[in-house]
């Protein structure tokens, strides 16, 4: 994401009065890179707040509507929209087809963080045109920690620069003969021509002989999934989590939600009083010791089941939450 941000600043897409639109409490690694470029070029972050119920309508709160409304209002001062497909804290779903179309209408560049959805929720750059898509493979792409994949729109292939300068992205060094030549370096240095395509932006160094094969095998597994069937499986689990947690006083943020992530928020006064951030983190640690893995994110317990999660696992989760929150559970 940092490479994307640097290139959009370098190509003058981001500048004073051409700002970056993000959403509230999005994963920090998606935001820090924009903070850096804002500090150096005079642009600023524009933050879309959490959707709220509209008293004058019966519409459910919706991230998509909030983003589209902000673009309509401030579109001439927005250079980049950087959003995920789902909010990392609770799985709230953003309709990126609509966002992409609105960005095109205002000539705004669209950057997508797909880490929380690509691999389990459908995504196609043909249906959702964007300038860049970044995905850490360790989530729904089933890959190892330490690897990321990036799609760069072909229109940028001759302009964007890698984050680090190295020989593996240069045409001359694709042939071992060049390394064998004496005096290959001139007074201007080494040949600067890049390889074709997005590979010019690849990281330097030798390809990791462990992580690369692991990533390749993981992608084969993901590509072999029927995503519609997979989403049906995890939706049954997240629906059961929602229903089973209601008697404990938990609620789920209203509005569209992806099937694979759910965020349980305290919904009663007693539970809200009990579940301070410190208490939530303590409960997460206690549940981990019992073999139940959830995290606390932005005021919610984030739960992300996969295809091997069972209804018995849901029962264990609810039992553990009940034990930890018993003093706040209303009889």
């Amino acid at each position: 994401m940092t490479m994307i941000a640097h290139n959009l600043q370098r190509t003058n897409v981001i500048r004073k009065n051409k700002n970056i639109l993000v959403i509230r409490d999005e994963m920090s690694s998606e935001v820090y890179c924009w903070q850096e470029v804002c500090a150096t070029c005079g642009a600023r972050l524009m933050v879309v707040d959490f959707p709220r119920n509209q008293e004058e309508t019966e519409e459910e709160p919706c991230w998509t509507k909030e983003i589209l409304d902000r673009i309509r209002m401030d579109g001439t001062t927005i250079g980049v929209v950087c959003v995920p497909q789902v909010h990392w804290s609770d799985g709230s779903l953003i309709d990126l087809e609509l966002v992409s179309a609105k960005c095109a209408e205002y000539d705004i560049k669209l950057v997508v963080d797909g880490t929380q959805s690509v691999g389990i929720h459908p995504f196609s750059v043909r249906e959702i045109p964007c300038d860049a898509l970044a995905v850490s493979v360790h989530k729904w792409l089933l890959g190892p920690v330490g690897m990321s994949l990036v799609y760069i729109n072909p229109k940028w292939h001759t302009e964007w620069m890698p984050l680090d300068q190295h020989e593996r992205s240069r045409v001359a060094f694709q042939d071992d003969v060049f390394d064998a030549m004496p005096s290959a370096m001139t007074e201007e240095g080494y040949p600067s021509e890049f390889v074709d395509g997005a590979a010019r932006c690849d990281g330097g160094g030798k390809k990791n002989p462990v992580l690369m094969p692991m990533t390749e095998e993981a992608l084969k597994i993901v590509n072999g999934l029927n995503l519609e069937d997979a989403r049906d499986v995890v939706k049954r689990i997240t629906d059961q989590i929602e229903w089973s947690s209601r008697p404990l006083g938990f609620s789920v943020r209203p509005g569209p939600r992806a099937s694979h992530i759910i965020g349980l928020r305290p919904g009663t006064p007693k539970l809200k009083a009990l579940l301070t951030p410190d208490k939530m983190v303590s409960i997460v640690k206690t549940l981990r010791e019992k073999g139940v893995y959830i995290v606390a994110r932005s005021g919610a317990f984030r739960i992300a089941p996969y295809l091997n999660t069972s209804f018995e696992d849901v029962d264990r989760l609810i039992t553990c939450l009940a034990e930890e929150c018993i003093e706040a559970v209303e009889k």
Side-chain angles (χ1 to χ4, degrees):
M1 193 64 77
T2 300
M3 182 269 294
I4 296 168
H6 282 193
N7 276 295
L8 288 172
Q9 179 188 3
R10 192 180 61 81
T11 53
N12 210 35
V13 171
I14 302 170
R15 59 188 187 276
K16 187 176 181 180
N17 297 324
K18 282 296 182 180
N19 305 303
I20 303 105
L21 187 73
V22 297
I23 63 174
R24 178 76 65 190
D25 285 3
E26 188 39 50
M27 205 279 172
S28 57
S29 292
E30 183 188 307
V31 179
Y32 273 125
C33 57
W34 306 114
Q35 293 178 215
E36 178 192 7
V37 298
C38 284
T40 59
C41 73
R44 63 185 179 88
L45 281 181
M46 303 173 72
V47 181
V48 177
D49 218 335
F50 285 103
R52 302 185 185 279
N53 286 309
Q54 303 296 319
E55 295 181 359
E56 65 276 10
T57 71
E58 296 182 357
E59 293 181 3
E60 282 191 321
C62 174
W63 276 114
T64 304
K65 182 181 184 301
E66 298 294 327
I67 294 167
L68 296 179
D69 286 349
R70 190 64 179 272
I71 293 174
R72 291 189 191 99
M73 182 169 53
D74 297 322
T76 58
T77 64
I78 300 172
V80 175
V81 168
C82 179
V83 290
Q85 195 172 25
V86 302
H87 199 287
W88 80 312
S89 69
D90 59 12
S92 295
L93 186 63
I94 298 172
D95 189 333
L96 291 183
E97 287 191 51
L98 294 180
V99 174
S100 176
K102 186 59 66 176
C103 285
E105 181 182 335
Y106 283 83
D107 193 26
I108 296 170
K109 310 311 176 192
L110 176 62
V111 176
V112 177
D113 180 355
T115 299
Q116 304 296 332
S117 58
V118 171
I120 191 66
H121 195 89
F123 187 100
S124 168
V125 295
R126 295 182 181 90
E127 297 173 2
I128 305 171
C130 58
D131 291 84
L133 165 70
V135 185
S136 177
V137 304
H138 75 285
K139 294 280 187 178
W140 305 97
L141 290 178
L142 309 182
V145 173
M147 286 287 293
S148 294
L149 300 177
V150 178
Y151 162 82
I152 300 172
N153 191 299
K155 69 183 179 184
W156 297 115
H157 285 184
T158 60
E159 294 189 56
W160 281 16
M161 300 289 284
L163 198 58
D164 58 331
Q165 299 293 334
H166 55 88
E167 66 177 27
R168 295 185 181 278
S169 63
R170 310 293 177 154
V171 171
F173 287 91
Q174 305 309 304
D175 188 345
D176 290 341
V177 173
F178 186 81
D179 262 338
M181 293 170 54
S183 300
M185 178 181 170
T186 68
E187 295 302 316
E188 288 75 34
Y190 287 108
S192 59
E193 182 183 1
F194 283 101
V195 297
D196 291 336
R200 66 188 277 140
C201 293
D202 278 350
K206 292 183 181 293
K207 292 179 173 59
N208 191 297
V210 176
L211 299 185
M212 287 292 284
M214 290 175 68
T215 301
E216 182 180 6
E217 290 303 312
L219 293 176
K220 289 178 182 178
I221 295 171
V222 172
N223 283 325
L225 292 176
N226 180 312
L227 284 190
E228 185 174 347
D229 291 344
R231 283 186 297 146
D232 285 345
V233 169
V234 291
K235 185 178 187 303
R236 288 194 290 272
I237 296 296
T238 53
D239 284 349
Q240 183 66 31
I241 292 171
E242 179 181 0
W243 298 329
S244 300
S245 67
R246 286 176 183 172
L248 303 182
F250 286 99
S251 64
V252 173
R253 187 183 297 281
R257 178 176 59 81
S259 59
H260 59 286
I261 297 175
I262 187 170
L264 298 184
R265 300 179 183 277
T268 64
K270 286 185 178 181
L271 204 56
K272 289 177 181 179
L274 173 69
L275 293 180
T276 63
D278 285 347
K279 180 65 173 178
M280 293 181 76
V281 170
S282 175
I283 289 174
V284 167
K285 292 178 179 178
T286 299
L287 265 60
R288 186 180 303 147
E289 293 171 357
K290 298 178 180 180
V292 177
Y293 296 89
I294 62 176
V295 291
R297 296 287 184 262
S298 190
F301 286 124
R302 177 191 187 272
I303 303 158
Y306 198 55
L307 302 180
N308 57 344
T309 304
S310 67
F311 290 113
E312 288 75 19
D313 294 327
V314 175
D315 291 341
R316 289 179 61 210
L317 166 67
I318 299 302
T319 298
C320 289
L321 286 176
E323 292 172 351
E324 295 300 316
C325 303
I326 189 169
E327 63 191 84
V329 176
E330 297 183 356
K331 307 299 183 183

